[in-house]
């Protein structure tokens, strides 16, 4: 009951469909103006469906400068373990590594793989194509939202979210599970963590010992999101703008980046792009617990307006909106893909 009350009274945990109710009306307005429900695909013409649904992470990685993202390989569904291991060795990817669906959903199906046994287990369960990639060595993560209208020479950063991972700190007495239960945000992940770690959660950590249970900054997996928009500087904007312009016809989306220090990130040093998200990107700085739901709705509306304006401008230049029949087919595929990953 405590967890239920916590979720009800903290809007950041509200179901997606509930949170977005006011935004649906704005979407309908822009769909009428565009005469297309699926106007979003024109926001990023070189990414499938603009990056809104059914986009391949591997195809997006391939658009980025090679030095900007971790060593990554695509594994097709039903690939045998021996072939997977051969690909890992050939591409010099080492344990521990990250496995995640090529077509993903809010962090579902993302897992840290420590050995061949866990890899075999993941591959055996995965009824979808997935990626294997090097574990990024940097300790900090941010989401940087980027917008550039087609007529503009330079883009801008419209929001930054910093992320606190699901890390527990030992007191010399409590088990890891006991430490998890002390924080509602972490306790909401307990069932998933039990499945992943099993008896390891009964370990008692030494005083001050820290364990990162989810080494990636995903809100749905227990990370705390903090609004870091005051970190926006001309130097950081220029660095992100440079990378974004190297991605063909990319105008709207969010760079999720792991980095060492902010100063190095500004200089374009010691960082890697975890993912580049397109039209489906959220301005995730809204999920800072200090913000009200009214702030969230305002920011969501602002960014959907940017997406519509960019799509409309590209459409005037000859980029077609997604055909209705094709859009419906893609949406049905999206629902099928989501059901696979959610039930993974």
């Amino acid at each position: 009951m405590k967890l239920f009350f916590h979720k009800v009274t903290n809007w950041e945990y509200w179901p997606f469909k509930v949170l977005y109710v006011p935004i649906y009306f704005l979407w309908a307005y822009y769909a009428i103006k565009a005469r297309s429900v699926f106007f979003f695909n024109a926001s990023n013409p070189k990414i499938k469906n603009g990056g809104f649904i059914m986009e391949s992470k591997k195809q997006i990685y391939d658009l980025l400068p090679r030095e900007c993202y971790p060593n990554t390989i695509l594994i097709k569904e039903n690939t045998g373990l021996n072939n997977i291991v051969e690909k890992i060795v050939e591409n010099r990817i080492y344990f521990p590594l990250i496995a995640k669906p090529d077509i993903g959903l809010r962090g579902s199906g993302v897992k840290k793989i420590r050995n061949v046994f866990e890899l075999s287990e993941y591959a055996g369960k995965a009824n979808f194509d997935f990626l294997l990639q090097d574990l990024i060595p940097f300790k900090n993560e941010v989401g940087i939202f980027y917008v550039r209208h087609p007529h503009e020479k330079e883009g801008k950063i419209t929001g930054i979210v910093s992320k606190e991972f699901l890390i527990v700190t030992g007191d010399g007495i409590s088990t890891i599970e006991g430490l998890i239960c002390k924080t509602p945000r972490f306790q909401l992940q307990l069932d998933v963590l039990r499945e992943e770690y099993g008896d390891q959660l009964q370990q008692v950590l030494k005083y001050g010992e820290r364990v990162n249970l989810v080494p990636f900054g995903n809100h749905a997996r227990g990370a705390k999101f903090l609004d870091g928009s005051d970190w926006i500087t001309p130097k950081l904007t220029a660095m992100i703008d440079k990378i974004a312009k190297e991605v063909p016809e990319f105008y709207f989306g969010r760079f999720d980046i792991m980095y060492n220090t902010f100063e190095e990130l500004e200089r374009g040093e010691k960082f890697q792009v975890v993912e580049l998200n397109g039209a489906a990107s959220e301005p995730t700085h809204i999920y800072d617990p200090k913000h009200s739901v009214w702030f969230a709705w305002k920011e969501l509306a602002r960014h959907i307006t940017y997406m519509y304006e960019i799509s409309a401008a590209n459409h005037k230049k000859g980029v077609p909106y997604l055909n209705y029949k094709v859009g419906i087919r893609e949406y049905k595929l999206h629902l099928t893909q989501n059901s696979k990953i959610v039930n993974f």
Side-chain angles (χ1 to χ4, degrees), residues 141-263:
E141 184 172 345
V142 289
I144 300 177
F145 210 110
Y146 174 85
V147 170
R148 179 167 67 91
H149 288 73
H151 66 277
E152 295 176 333
K153 292 183 178 180
E154 297 180 352
K156 61 184 177 182
I157 296 173
T158 59
I160 296 179
V161 62
S162 65
K163 305 176 181 183
E164 292 183 357
F165 298 141
L166 201 165
I167 298 174
V168 294
T169 304
D171 58 9
I173 301 172
S174 305
T175 64
I176 294 177
E177 184 170 319
L179 295 171
I180 291 170
C181 291
K182 290 182 179 181
T183 305
R185 182 182 303 278
F186 296 173
Q187 192 175 0
L188 289 167
Q189 305 299 317
L190 188 54
D191 289 343
V192 175
L193 293 172
R194 280 173 176 162
E195 183 177 346
E196 183 171 351
Y197 287 95
D199 293 340
Q200 294 179 54
L201 296 186
Q202 303 312 310
Q203 177 186 350
V204 175
L205 299 182
K206 297 177 182 178
Y207 182 84
E209 183 180 357
R210 289 162 56 87
V211 174
N212 186 349
L213 295 170
V214 183
F216 39 86
N218 187 276
H219 189 265
R221 294 293 304 276
K224 184 178 182 179
F225 283 11
L226 301 171
D227 191 345
S229 298
D230 56 347
W231 297 358
I232 299 173
T233 64
K235 195 171 182 180
L236 180 65
T237 299
M239 193 278 287
I240 294 297
D241 189 47
K242 180 177 182 297
I243 297 173
K245 287 177 182 175
E246 293 189 51
V247 180
E249 296 184 72
F250 176 72
Y251 300 102
F252 178 91
R254 191 187 68 243
F255 290 88
D256 291 334
I257 294 174
M258 295 195 74
Y259 66 99
N260 189 41
T261 69
F262 182 75
E263 291 73 23

Side-chain angles (χ1 to χ4, degrees), residues 31 34 37 49 67 69 125 137 196 248 264 276 294 306 310 331:
V37 175
N49 299 325
E67 68 276 8
Y69 62 93
K125 289 174 60 179
E196 183 171 351
E264 288 171 329
L276 174 59
W294 300 102
Y306 286 143
I310 291 168
Y331 181 66

Side-chain angles (χ1 to χ4, degrees), residues 268-287:
E269 301 171 358
K270 294 185 180 180
F271 79 93
Q272 285 189 324
V273 176
V274 180
E275 286 184 6
L276 174 59
N277 302 279
S281 301
E282 286 185 298
T284 44
H285 60 278
I286 66 174
Y287 291 107

Side-chain angles (χ1 to χ4, degrees), residues 87-103:
K87 286 190 174 186
I88 290 175
V89 173
E90 181 183 343
N91 289 273
R92 298 183 180 181
I93 296 177
Y94 304 99
F95 294 110
L97 52 82
I98 293 293
K100 59 186 177 184
D102 183 42
I103 299 174

Side-chain angles (χ1 to χ4, degrees), residues 69-87:
Y69 62 93
N71 194 11
T72 302
I73 57 175
L74 173 65
I75 306 297
K76 290 291 186 177
E77 182 183 348
N78 296 323
T79 301
L81 180 62
N82 288 339
N83 288 336
I84 295 175
V85 172
E86 286 177 6
K87 286 190 174 186

Side-chain angles (χ1 to χ4, degrees), residues 85-148:
V85 172
E86 286 177 6
K87 286 190 174 186
I88 290 175
V89 173
E90 181 183 343
N91 289 273
R92 298 183 180 181
I93 296 177
Y94 304 99
F95 294 110
L97 52 82
I98 293 293
K100 59 186 177 184
D102 183 42
I103 299 174
L105 173 69
R106 292 176 163 236
S108 297
V110 181
K111 188 173 181 181
K112 182 179 179 181
I113 305 294
R114 299 168 181 80
N115 50 52
V116 173
F117 174 78
E118 291 184 357
L119 178 60
S120 176
E121 190 176 51
Y122 188 97
K125 289 174 60 179
N127 55 347
F128 46 78
D129 297 347
F130 60 92
L131 305 180
L132 298 176
Q133 61 183 194
D134 282 331
L135 188 67
I136 298 175
F138 306 121
K139 60 186 178 180
N140 300 307
E141 184 172 345
V142 289
I144 300 177
F145 210 110
Y146 174 85
V147 170
R148 179 167 67 91

